Amino acid sequence: MSFQESMEVFEKAIEAVGVLAIVVGIVVASVLALRALLQHRDRGKTYELFRQRLGRSILLGLELLVAADIIHTVAITPTFTSVGVLALIVVVRTFLSWSLEMEISGHWPWRKAQDEAAPERTG
């Protein structure tokens, strides 16, 4: 097996793991939310946890899919066109990741360290 063929195998494997992370995350988040609803837990909290779990699985899947795209571009088809397409994909997925992170945590990703370092106010 040549280097290029082995990189194609790695790329496909990482893509499959990325898709699997999203699908498993959807199933797990849905099952946990359904179980919480059947146990008559707080619907608002259940919905919030469902969105957080779902967002985390999508983020993980996106990260893995970006890694597969990088492998494809760098090791399999290193052309200016493929690098440009990769750059566009990374920009779009970065925007999606930031948007999802904001949805999950309620603040911008760069504010996370500031918010965690700030002392809690008691009033």
Side-chain angles (χ1 to χ4, degrees):
M1 180 181 291
S2 72
F3 175 77
Q4 187 168 356
E5 291 171 338
S6 62
M7 288 299 105
E8 288 175 358
V9 170
F10 284 131
E11 175 202 4
K12 297 299 179 198
I14 293 171
E15 282 179 344
V17 172
V19 171
L20 187 64
I22 293 171
V23 171
V24 168
I26 290 169
V27 170
V28 169
S30 299
V31 167
L32 292 173
L34 183 60
R35 188 176 75 181
L37 289 174
L38 292 174
Q39 293 175 353
H40 303 290
R41 294 189 187 153
D42 178 20
R43 289 179 187 252
K45 183 69 173 171
T46 298
Y47 174 72
E48 185 70 26
L49 286 172
F50 174 72
R51 288 186 63 205
Q52 287 176 349
R53 290 175 178 136
L54 189 62
R56 286 185 184 120
S57 67
I58 293 170
L59 279 173
L60 177 61
L62 282 174
E63 294 295 332
L64 291 166
L65 291 170
V66 167
D69 287 338
I70 291 170
I71 289 171
H72 178 82
T73 300
V74 172
I76 300 171
T77 57
T79 64
F80 283 115
T81 303
S82 63
V83 170
V85 169
L86 175 64
L88 184 60
I89 289 170
V90 168
V91 167
V92 169
R93 289 188 179 161
T94 300
F95 173 75
L96 288 173
S97 294
W98 280 8
S99 298
L100 285 168
E101 179 66 32
M102 190 173 141
E103 285 290 324
I104 291 169
S105 66
H107 49 73
W108 291 106
W110 56 83
R111 298 273 314 197
K112 188 174 189 175
Q114 293 172 354
D115 291 345
E116 289 173 355
E120 290 188 31
R121 296 180 197 171
T122 56

